[in-house]
DNA sequence: AAATAAATGAGAATTATTCTCATTTATGCT
DNA sequence: AGCATAAATGAGAATAATTCTCATTTATTT
C-alpha cells in the first residue's frame, strides 16, 4: 500500500500537524481528483475553513497538489505523488465526475514531438502539458444513477 | 476583414445592445485570449461590471465564448467564432502571456484515435478536448521585456 | 410611434479566498 | 522528558469575485 500521510509530510520537510494529516488522508482515500466543495464537506467540523485553504497552499508549495478548474468552474484538486503516472482528465458534464486517464506512450511521444515544434516556433521552453477531454459518461456511473 | 460585432449578434439571434457591441469589439480587437482583468480594464467606465459579467454569460450561451483558467488562476476568455481553427493554448509562467497554438492535423488525428479508445474504456461520449502547454517564453515577448 | 419585452446600471447580496491575531501545537535543544 | 521558540491553527474579519435586485433605459415588434 502507498505512503501514509505523516510519511509524505516528513519526506517534504514540513511539520506534521493534525489538519495536514486529515487533508492528506481525505485525498489519499479518495484516489483521484476531488472538488474543493467535496473536500470541504468531508472535513467539516474537523478542519477550519481558513486552515483548509492554508493547508492546500502548503501542499501546492511542496509540489504534491495539482489544482485545476472544471468546465463548470469548480475548483478541483488532486494529490500528485511521485509514483503517480503522468495522466490527463476526463470530465462528465452530466454528473460532474472527473476521471484520471492515462494516454498511450505512443501518443505521449507524438505529443512530445509536437511540443518540440511549438517550442521552436514560439521560442518557448515548455515544461509541462495537460490534455483535457470533455463529454458525458453513459450509464455506468454512480453519480448519474441518481 | 472578419465579421463585425453587430453581425455576430444578429447571426445568433440576440438583441444588439451597446454593452454587447463594446465587449465584442474589445475581444475582436484583441485577437486571442485575454484575461478578465484586462477586459475589465479596457471597458472601465464604458460597461458596468455587472453588465460585463452578464454579457459574457450571454456570449457563452450562444457558444461563441470560451472561458478557462490560467495556471495562475486567472479567468481567461476568448472569442471562438466558427472560422477559428481548432486550437490549444500555451501559457508563459513568467509574463502570463497566453498564446493560441494550432497542432498538426497528424497530431489531431492521432489524438482522435486515442480518444476513441478512451471512450470505449470509460463508456464515455467525448465531445471536445483541449491541450494546454505550460512553460516560459524566452526573450522576444512584449510583456517579459518590462 | 406606441406597447411590450429585454437589457442595463448601480449597488446590495452572496460566495470564495485571504488575512489577522490570540491561542495552541510541533520541533529542536538540553 | 521538559522548555523555549517558531510555526500552525481556529474563528472570524477583511477582501475579492460573481451574481442578484430593481428601478430605469433601450430594443424589438407591430
Amino acid at each position: 500500500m502507498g505512503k501514509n500521510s505523516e510519511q509524505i509530510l516528513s519526506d517534504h520537510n514540513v511539520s506534521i500537524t493534525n489538519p495536514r494529516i486529515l487533508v492528506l488522508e481525505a485525498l489519499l482515500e479518495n484516489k483521484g481528483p476531488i472538488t474543493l466543495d467535496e473536500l470541504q464537506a468531508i472535513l467539516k467540523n474537523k478542519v477550519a475553513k481558513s486552515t483548509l485553504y492554508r493547508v492546500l497552499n502548503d501542499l501546492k508549495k511542496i509540489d504534491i497538489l495539482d489544482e485545476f478548474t472544471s468546465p463548470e468552474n469548480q475548483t478541483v484538486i488532486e494529490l500528485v505523488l511521485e509514483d503517480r503516472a503522468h495522466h490527463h482528465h476526463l470530465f462528465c458534464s452530466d454528473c460532474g465526475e472527473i476521471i484520471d486517464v492515462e494516454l498511450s506512450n505512443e501518443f505521449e511521444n507524438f505529443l512530445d514531438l509536437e511540443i518540440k515544434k511549438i517550442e521552436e516556433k514560439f521560442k518557448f521552453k515548455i515544461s509541462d502539458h495537460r490534455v483535457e477531454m470533455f463529454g458525458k459518461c453513459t450509464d455506468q456511473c454512480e453519480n448519474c444513477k441518481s
Side-chain angles (χ1 to χ4, degrees), chain A:
Chain A
M1 84 171 242
K3 289 183 189 174
N4 68 37
S5 31
E6 309 198 9
Q7 190 62 250
I8 295 171
L9 292 170
S10 74
D11 282 356
H12 289 86
N13 291 326
V14 294
S15 54
I16 296 166
T17 69
N18 222 253
R20 286 174 182 170
I21 291 171
L22 289 170
V23 170
L24 278 178
E25 276 175 357
L27 292 175
L28 284 168
E29 226 161 275
N30 189 72
K31 214 47 181 160
I34 185 174
T35 66
L36 182 52
D37 285 348
E38 288 170 330
L39 184 61
Q40 277 178 335
I42 292 172
L43 296 174
K44 195 158 47 134
N45 304 328
K46 294 193 195 118
V47 175
K49 199 193 296 201
S50 54
T51 302
L52 177 54
Y53 278 105
R54 260 182 309 220
V55 167
L56 292 176
N57 283 329
D58 295 340
L59 299 182
K60 273 190 238 166
K61 245 177 241 147
I62 60 174
D63 254 329
I64 62 170
L65 193 79
D66 190 17
E67 179 181 321
F68 51 96
T69 305
S70 77
E72 290 82 28
N73 275 328
Q74 284 263 298
T75 298
V76 180
I77 55 193
E78 179 175 29
L79 211 52
V80 183
L81 301 177
E82 307 74 23
D83 53 3
R84 293 279 292 103
H86 176 70
H87 69 281
H88 304 289
H89 294 121
L90 179 53
F91 298 88
C92 175
S93 60
D94 270 353
C95 67
E97 199 184 10
I98 301 155
I99 300 176
D100 281 346
V101 170
E102 233 175 290
L103 299 176
S104 72
N105 287 336
E106 229 179 338
F107 171 81
E108 293 285 353
N109 290 340
F110 201 142
L111 179 50
D112 285 343
L113 290 180
E114 282 289 308
I115 284 179
K116 286 222 177 62
K117 285 195 252 168
I118 299 292
E119 286 187 316
E120 276 175 38
K121 178 165 179 191
F122 292 96
K123 302 276 189 298
F124 247 74
K125 182 80 204 76
I126 295 177
S127 50
D128 200 9
H129 67 265
R130 175 186 290 163
V131 179
E132 295 179 326
M133 289 161 277
F134 311 105
K136 288 181 200 294
C137 61
T138 45
D139 51 35
Q140 86 302 358
C141 151
E142 287 302 307
N143 306 341
C144 281
K145 280 172 187 157
S146 57

